């Protein structure tokens, strides 16, 4: 039994020796030409000021992937300067946002983490201006994890309506229930446990909660941070690729300030949101401009284009034309002088959303008790817009005749046989979700007769127009209803439509009509 052990040990020693040999050859190559510009073939540029641990870490990274240290922070001085400049700027310029105030003022760690969690989930794929009102109403309604855990899914969907990406609200509720029912009401304290234990919490959200609420020195990478890091280190390869994504997370972890991790992460995101923007970035206001390789590249390109100075400009650069550095832009993508630093990051190629068609009908009972009512049905509990309410709909058919027949059959399953002659086509509404472009063919049908007293089947409900506007319906359904309201045919006579229209859209009656209306108006004794 000893021989196999010896063979395994010998194999490991040989492998280690080969790796050590590669490191020595790479290191000797970089030391042989200390004044040469950085190369892209995975060679190491020796930094005399870099600590041994940092140098070894960078050697391992570069040996594992073919990219140049030009894209790295290669000394503690650079890292310290970046942290100090960014945090000083953030202290002066940060926006006053309700979730930041709550995180700063809240003493209870679980309530602080909950406040950060809600804000980070709402801010995913959504602008700050849109989130402000939703966040305030959410925290007023459910100020604690326990409050949210006791809420119904219907209540959550109702408050979330219009914010988009509706599964986020559902998962927040699921996560709160898990914390309360399985974790004793206490939020996990580290990024690793947050990501592992809470549904819908990914690497970014876990890092944001852990750093802002609990002070864990962990970096985060969102869209804003991707843009900042790609420009600061001139990373032009596709940021969605595995290699580039791993490198960005590595840079974020290297840069995060251990003394103020939450503030640093928010500062990096703030920089990308208000200064290092996708188009027309405000480079003159950037606190880390002196460390930005994208700015250096812009200067180099401007000098080269002007040809005002002989020889090559003295600007450090990677060698993007060799095709070997996996963090540089592909050689087939030339530098666009008009974009400047916005040449970074590279825009990932996106698949166009698939196109789907649907026929939907606003069915209104004009003489229902309590006023006119419209029919809504609930979507399945999984998939697109799970659990939300919508107008009855069918997959769009090849011809309008087949479409009408299918829609009438769907309406009958919910509300009994409708008068087919009253069904009117009103137009179409196009709404794009994250991955689907959905075209709704909109129909309207007003039931003028006295509504029979019938039992509404499960999964359906009749709502007044006022109730509709506060119901858990998607933005797409609100667009459909606006089209219905804007069409005279198919709306109920005597309904409250006139109360919902804008003042500018109402035509003032003539003087003669006012006199006639006054004469015909029934007298009500006081």
């Amino acid at each position: 039994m000893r021989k196999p052990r010896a063979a395994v040990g010998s194999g490991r020693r040989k492998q280690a020796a080969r790796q050590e040999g590669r490191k020595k050859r790479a290191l000797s190559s970089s030391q042989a030409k200390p004044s040469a510009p950085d190369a892209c073939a995975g060679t190491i540029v020796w930094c005399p000021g870099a600590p041994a641990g940092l140098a070894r870490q960078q050697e391992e990274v570069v040996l594992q992937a073919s990219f140049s240290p030009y894209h790295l922070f290669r000394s503690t001085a650079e890292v310290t300067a970046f942290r100090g400049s960014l945090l000083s700027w953030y202290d002066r310029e940060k926006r006053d946002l309700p979730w930041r105030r709550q995180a700063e003022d809240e003493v209870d760690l679980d309530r602080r983490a909950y406040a950060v969690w809600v804000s980070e989930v709402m801010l995913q794929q959504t602008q700050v201006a849109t989130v402000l009102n939703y966040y305030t109403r959410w925290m007023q309604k459910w100020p604690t994890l326990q409050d949210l855990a006791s809420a119904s899914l219907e209540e959550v969907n109702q408050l979330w309506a219009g914010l988009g990406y509706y599964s986020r609200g559902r998962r927040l509720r699921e996560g709160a229930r898990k914390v309360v029912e399985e974790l004793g009401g206490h939020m996990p304290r580290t990024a690793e446990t947050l990501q592992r234990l809470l549904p819908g919490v990914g690497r970014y959200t876990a890092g944001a909660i852990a750093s802002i609420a609990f002070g864990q020195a962990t970096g985060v990478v969102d869209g804003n941070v991707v843009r900042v890091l790609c420009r600061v280190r001139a990373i032009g390869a596709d940021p969605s690729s595995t290699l580039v994504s791993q490198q960005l997370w590595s840079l974020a972890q290297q840069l995060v300030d251990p003394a103020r991790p939450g503030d640093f992460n928010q500062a990096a995101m703030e920089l990308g949101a208000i200064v290092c923007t996708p188009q027309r970035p405000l480079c003159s206001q950037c606190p880390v401009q002196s460390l930005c390789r994208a700015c250096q590249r812009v200067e180099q390109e401007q000098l080269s284009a002007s040809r005002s100075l002989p020889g090559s400009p003295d600007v450090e650069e990677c060698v993007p034309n060799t095709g070997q550095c996996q963090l540089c832009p592909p050689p087939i993508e030339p530098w666009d002088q008009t974009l400047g630093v916005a040449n970074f990051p590279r825009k990932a190629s996106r698949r166009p959303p698939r196109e789907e068609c649907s026929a939907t009908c606003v069915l209104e009972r004009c003489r229902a008790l309590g006023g006119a009512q419209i029919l809504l049905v609930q979507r399945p509990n999984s998939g697109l817009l799970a659990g939300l309410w919508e107008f009855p709909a069918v997959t769009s058919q090849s011809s309008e005749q087949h479409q009408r027949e299918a829609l009438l059959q769907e309406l009958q399953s919910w509300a009994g046989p409708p008068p087919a002659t009253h069904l009117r086509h009103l137009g179409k509404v196009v709404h794009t979700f994250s991955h689907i472009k959905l075209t709704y063919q909109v129909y309207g049908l007003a039931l003028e007769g006295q509504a029979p007293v019938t039992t509404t089947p499960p999964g359906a409900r009749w709502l007044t127009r006022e109730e509709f506007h506060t119901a858990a319906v998607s933005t797409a359904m609100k667009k459909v209803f606006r089209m219905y309201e804007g069409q005279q045919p198919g709306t109920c006579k005597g309904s409250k439509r006139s109360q919902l229209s804008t003042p500018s859209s109402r035509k003032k009656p003539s003087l003669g009509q006012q006199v006639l209306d006054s004469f015909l108006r029934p007298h009500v004794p006081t």
Side-chain angles (χ1 to χ4, degrees), residues 380-432:
N381 289 327
S382 61
L384 182 68
L385 306 176
L388 296 186
W389 295 83
E390 66 180 3
F391 300 114
V394 295
T395 302
S396 185
Q397 305 295 317
S398 55
S399 68
E400 183 177 348
Q401 181 61 32
H402 290 159
Q403 192 168 264
R404 294 172 64 90
E405 292 173 357
L407 197 53
L408 287 168
Q409 187 174 357
E410 178 70 11
L411 293 173
Q412 180 173 344
S413 68
W414 294 108
T421 56
H422 291 183
L423 183 66
R424 289 184 171 87
H425 182 247
L426 306 179
K428 69 178 182 179
V429 166
V430 179
H431 187 80
T432 302

Side-chain angles (χ1 to χ4, degrees), residues 200-248:
V201 173
R203 187 176 183 182
Y204 162 76
T205 305
I209 298 171
S211 61
I212 299 171
F214 302 129
Q216 182 184 356
T218 182
V220 298
V221 175
D222 74 340
N224 288 318
V225 176
V226 166
R227 187 164 55 256
V228 169
L229 293 180
C230 283
R231 288 175 180 171
V232 169
R233 294 293 92 176
I235 297 174
D238 183 357
S240 65
S241 69
T242 300
L243 184 143
V244 178
S245 177
Q246 289 175 347
Q247 181 58 21
L248 292 174

Side-chain angles (χ1 to χ4, degrees), residues 56-65 67 72 247 250:
R56 282 196 300 271
Q57 180 184 4
Q58 291 172 349
E59 288 172 21
E60 292 174 1
V61 169
V62 177
L63 285 169
Q64 291 170 5
F67 58 80
L72 307 176
Q247 181 58 21
S250 176

Side-chain angles (χ1 to χ4, degrees), residues 137-376:
R137 289 190 291 120
W138 181 287
M139 297 306 293
Q140 288 173 347
K141 190 175 183 65
W142 302 301
T144 68
L145 284 160
Q146 289 74 16
D147 294 324
L148 178 58
S150 63
S152 68
L153 180 58
E154 176 71 13
E155 290 177 303
V156 170
N157 283 338
Q158 187 172 344
L159 194 150
W160 201 276
L163 194 56
Y165 299 91
Y166 296 91
S167 62
R168 296 180 296 172
R170 184 176 70 250
R171 287 175 179 170
L172 261 175
R173 174 179 173 269
E174 292 172 0
R177 289 168 64 93
K178 182 166 185 177
V179 171
V180 171
E181 296 172 4
E182 301 179 24
L183 303 179
H186 297 296
M187 290 280 289
R189 293 305 199 247
T190 67
E192 187 273 330
T193 53
L194 284 162
Q195 186 176 354
R196 176 164 51 86
L197 295 177
L198 299 186
V201 173
R203 187 176 183 182
Y204 162 76
T205 305
I209 298 171
S211 61
I212 299 171
F214 302 129
Q216 182 184 356
T218 182
V220 298
V221 175
D222 74 340
N224 288 318
V225 176
V226 166
R227 187 164 55 256
V228 169
L229 293 180
C230 283
R231 288 175 180 171
V232 169
R233 294 293 92 176
I235 297 174
D238 183 357
S240 65
S241 69
T242 300
L243 184 143
V244 178
S245 177
Q246 289 175 347
Q247 181 58 21
L248 292 174
W249 277 97
S250 176
L251 285 171
Q253 186 61 42
Q254 180 187 6
L255 291 171
V256 65
D257 192 321
R260 299 175 61 187
D263 285 342
F264 179 88
N265 286 334
Q266 291 182 90
M269 292 184 280
E270 189 85 333
L271 184 66
I274 65 177
V275 173
C276 195
T277 51
Q279 287 87 34
R280 295 182 292 278
L282 307 174
C283 293
S284 62
Q285 301 178 25
C286 178
V288 293
Q289 184 182 21
S290 62
L291 298 169
C292 181
R293 297 214 185 281
C295 281
Q296 296 169 11
R297 176 72 186 273
V298 170
E299 294 174 5
Q300 172 197 349
E301 294 292 338
Q302 290 174 345
L303 288 171
S304 298
S306 66
R307 300 179 184 274
S308 59
L309 297 176
S312 300
D314 186 18
V315 178
E316 185 183 14
E317 61 173 322
C318 192
V319 188
N321 296 325
T322 63
Q324 295 177 351
C325 178
Q326 297 183 41
L327 296 183
C328 281
I332 59 173
E333 294 188 8
W335 177 267
D336 188 338
Q337 192 73 32
T338 63
L339 292 178
V341 299
N343 278 280
F344 303 97
R346 179 188 176 193
K347 292 182 180 179
S349 57
R350 294 182 179 178
R351 292 182 179 179
R354 71 174 187 268
E355 297 193 10
E356 295 184 2
C357 296
S358 175
T360 187
C361 179
V362 180
L363 179 63
E364 186 167 21
R365 296 192 305 197
C366 299
R367 299 185 183 181
L369 294 176
Q373 295 177 332
I374 51 180
L375 178 65
L376 292 179

Side-chain angles (χ1 to χ4, degrees), residues 48-98:
L54 181 61
R56 282 196 300 271
Q57 180 184 4
Q58 291 172 349
E59 288 172 21
E60 292 174 1
V61 169
V62 177
L63 285 169
Q64 291 170 5
S66 296
F67 58 80
S68 166
Y70 167 78
H71 302 288
L72 307 176
F73 286 88
R74 294 172 295 175
S75 72
T76 53
E78 270 192 318
V79 171
T80 301
F82 188 94
R83 290 172 179 168
S85 298
L86 183 59
L87 283 169
S88 296
W89 169 83
Y90 180 70
D91 291 337
R92 296 190 311 269
E93 305 293 339
K94 65 181 178 182
R95 292 171 290 180
D96 181 23
L97 301 173

